[in-house]
């Protein structure tokens, strides 16, 4: 009887397509994001639209420029907060430098490590569009994620770094950006 019940439950799970992990199970963000990977510009636009985000041709050009830019070793100022590049770097370092293992010990080291992550020197980089970035007025819209280290960094189209911390992109908020 137990065997039949187990087999029936397995078949039901397969047919129904489990939509969530069992309670207490670890969700692999890379696997969850892989299932939502997009291959073309049309796929990307459709994925954004499915999340309620309408992108203009200018938005798409910015996204692609940020996807392809080479980090230039500088930190971006934050005009909306009246911060110089140096002050913005200091704010980010104090907020996130301790998140890394080992912790980053200085703002210049934090910036250097973030640029290294963005260039693929800390592992393979995947690129994701933050679907809230235009609405929130962010300076950058594409994050660079290194799955092996959980490095999460972003660069403006001019190559200046805007943030760096440890995170995993949430499939509900981020869409993988292909090259087009």
């Amino acid at each position: 009887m137990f065997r039949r019940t187990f087999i029936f439950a397995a078949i039901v799970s397969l047919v129904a397509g489990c939509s969530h992990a069992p309670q207490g199970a670890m969700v692999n963000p890379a696997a969850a994001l892989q299932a939502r990977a997009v291959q073309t510009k049309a796929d990307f636009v459709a994925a954004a639209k499915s999340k309620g985000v309408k992108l203009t041709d200018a938005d798409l050009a910015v996204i692609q420029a940020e996807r392809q830019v080479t980090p230039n070793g500088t930190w971006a100022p934050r005009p909306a907060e009246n911060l110089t590049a140096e002050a913005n770097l200091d704010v980010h370092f104090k907020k996130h430098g301790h998140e890394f293992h080992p912790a980053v010990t200085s703002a210049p080291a934090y910036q250097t490590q973030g640029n290294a992550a963005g260039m693929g020197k800390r592992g393979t980089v995947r690129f994701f569009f933050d679907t809230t970035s235009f609405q929130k007025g962010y300076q950058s819209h594409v994050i660079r994620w290194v799955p092996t280290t959980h490095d999460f960094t972003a660069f403006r189209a001019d190559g200046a770094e805007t943030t760096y911390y440890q995170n995993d992109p949430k499939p509900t908020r981020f869409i993988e950006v292909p090259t087009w």
Side-chain angles (χ1 to χ4, degrees):
M1 177 68 171
F2 173 77
R3 185 170 184 232
R4 267 190 290 181
T5 304
F6 178 77
I7 291 170
F8 178 74
I11 291 170
V12 169
S13 292
L14 286 173
V15 172
C18 295
S19 61
H20 64 278
Q23 191 168 359
M26 293 295 292
V27 175
N28 179 342
L33 290 165
Q34 188 63 37
R36 292 164 179 79
V38 294
Q39 302 296 319
T40 67
K41 181 180 180 181
D43 292 341
F44 177 78
V45 171
K49 187 176 180 181
S50 76
K51 294 184 184 305
V53 179
K54 185 177 188 299
L55 298 168
T56 66
D57 287 342
D59 295 337
L60 292 168
V62 168
I63 290 166
Q64 202 53 211
E66 291 178 10
R67 162 81 171 75
Q68 295 180 1
V69 72
T70 300
N72 66 17
T74 65
W75 197 272
R78 192 170 185 184
E81 300 291 327
N82 215 17
L83 296 173
T84 65
E86 184 178 343
N88 192 27
L89 170 60
D90 191 54
V91 165
H92 278 82
F93 166 67
K94 286 177 180 172
K95 184 176 180 181
H96 300 295
H98 68 278
E99 295 174 5
F100 301 91
H101 302 285
V104 183
T105 58
S106 70
Y110 170 78
Q111 179 179 335
T112 299
Q113 184 171 306
N115 271 262
M119 290 187 283
K121 294 179 179 177
R122 288 179 49 83
T124 301
V125 176
R126 292 178 63 189
F127 300 83
F128 291 87
F129 167 61
D130 179 346
T131 60
T132 68
S133 62
F134 285 108
Q135 174 191 358
K136 291 182 177 180
Y138 291 168
Q139 293 190 75
S140 51
H141 312 284
V142 175
I143 63 95
R144 294 168 186 224
W145 177 55
V146 179
T148 55
T149 61
H150 305 280
D151 287 1
F152 199 85
T153 190
F155 300 85
R156 297 187 316 196
D158 66 0
E161 191 169 359
T162 61
T163 194
Y164 178 49
Y165 54 103
Q166 298 270 275
N167 201 6
D168 293 317
K170 309 293 183 273
T172 56
R173 179 173 167 180
F174 293 90
I175 302 167
E176 192 146 17
V177 182
T179 300
W180 60 75

